[in-house]
Amino acid sequence: MPHVLLIEDDASVRDGMELVLRRHGYGVDTAATGEEALALLDAPEGARVELAVLDLMLPGMDGFEVCRRIRARTTTLPVIMLTARGDDHDIVTGLEAGADDYVVKPVTAPVLEARIRAALRRAEPSAVSRAAGADLAGLVIDRAALTVTKHGVPVPLPPTELRLLLELSASPGRVLSREQLLASVWDHTFLGDSRLVDAAVGRLRAKLEDVPARPRYVQTVRGFGYRFGPL
């Protein structure tokens, strides 16, 4: 049974979402503040959490900072953020903080559950292509071990960023559109948003590139999408 940490300060929303998740077979821990959520993740019971659903508008420490601190603790925990406004700035800032996906409140039960299932699938090693690895200009991608190193130094990547890198590097030089990447990496076949791709590319470049503004590995093809280099 997958176990979800639900971080939401509104008691009625929190209780309703917890009920929905439990009805779908999830174990649920809840927290009303970011501080409470981080304390739970640091406690022994935090080891059972497989995904966090995080509201951005929290009292005290806001969701952006909570997401950054979660990412500082672990690269493997998927984070889905909740935003009430659907504001572009909030969404982009949350994605840049390390969130894997987002939903806008009020969210229906089928949409939330679909996003959670997709995020958990991305975190499963069995869901990742295990084609031959790559060694390009100091970047070594080991698809069997699911590890990435640059000049011999490990580069820890969250599941979404790893899946994105594996998808792009599977066919060096081939241009993949944002829609193709949304479908193959995020499994968003009906609710896609190109901001998810752009934010993940930005995070990936910050970790892989010597100069993120002049990328060698993950290159933009204006008007089309992204390709993996160097070319």
Side-chain angles (χ1 to χ4, degrees):
M1 178 185 296
H3 208 95
V4 174
L5 172 58
L6 174 59
I7 311 163
E8 166 63 64
D9 65 307
D10 187 311
S12 61
V13 173
R14 186 174 64 247
D15 291 347
M17 294 178 70
E18 180 181 5
L19 180 61
V20 165
L21 292 174
R22 290 192 181 279
R23 284 178 173 172
H24 280 86
Y26 294 94
V28 183
D29 285 320
T30 62
T33 66
E35 293 84 352
E36 184 182 344
L38 294 172
L40 188 149
L41 288 172
D42 288 339
E45 57 266 32
R48 68 190 179 188
V49 175
E50 298 174 59
L51 178 141
V53 177
L54 170 64
D55 185 30
L56 289 182
M57 298 297 106
L58 296 171
M61 185 188 303
D62 66 24
F64 304 109
E65 182 60 24
V66 175
C67 189
R68 294 185 190 100
R69 295 196 185 195
I70 289 175
R71 279 289 163 258
R73 287 164 165 79
T74 175
T75 61
T76 60
L77 183 70
V79 177
I80 298 176
M81 62 181 186
L82 300 173
T83 173
R85 293 177 293 185
D87 181 83
D88 282 355
H89 179 267
D90 281 357
I91 291 168
V92 171
T93 303
L95 293 172
E96 289 176 347
D100 298 279
D101 202 349
Y102 75 93
V103 292
V104 177
K105 295 191 295 185
V107 57
T108 65
V111 168
L112 178 62
E113 209 270 328
R115 294 295 182 94
I116 289 174
R117 281 190 284 108
L120 290 172
R121 281 197 300 272
R122 289 197 297 275
E124 293 175 358
S126 60
V128 177
S129 168
R130 294 182 179 273
D135 185 348
L136 297 168
L139 185 70
V140 178
I141 303 168
D142 187 332
R143 300 179 103 85
L146 298 179
T147 59
V148 178
T149 59
K150 183 179 178 183
H151 302 307
V153 179
V155 181
L157 295 175
T160 297
E161 292 167 36
L162 178 59
R163 290 284 301 277
L164 177 60
L165 178 60
L166 291 172
E167 188 70 26
L168 287 166
S169 64
S171 303
R174 179 189 175 198
V175 179
L176 296 175
S177 69
R178 290 171 175 82
E179 291 73 20
Q180 288 174 303
L181 292 169
L182 279 165
S184 59
V185 176
W186 281 265
D187 197 21
H188 282 199
T189 56
F190 56 96
L191 288 169
D193 189 323
S194 63
R195 287 173 293 194
L196 292 168
V197 180
D198 295 340
V201 165
R203 298 196 307 263
L204 199 54
R205 284 174 172 166
K207 296 169 185 175
L208 298 182
E209 306 287 356
D210 294 328
V211 183
R214 297 196 299 274
R216 301 178 62 202
Y217 302 114
V218 182
Q219 302 171 345
T220 301
V221 181
R222 193 174 300 278
F224 292 93
Y226 296 101
R227 68 184 171 198
F228 184 78
L231 300 175

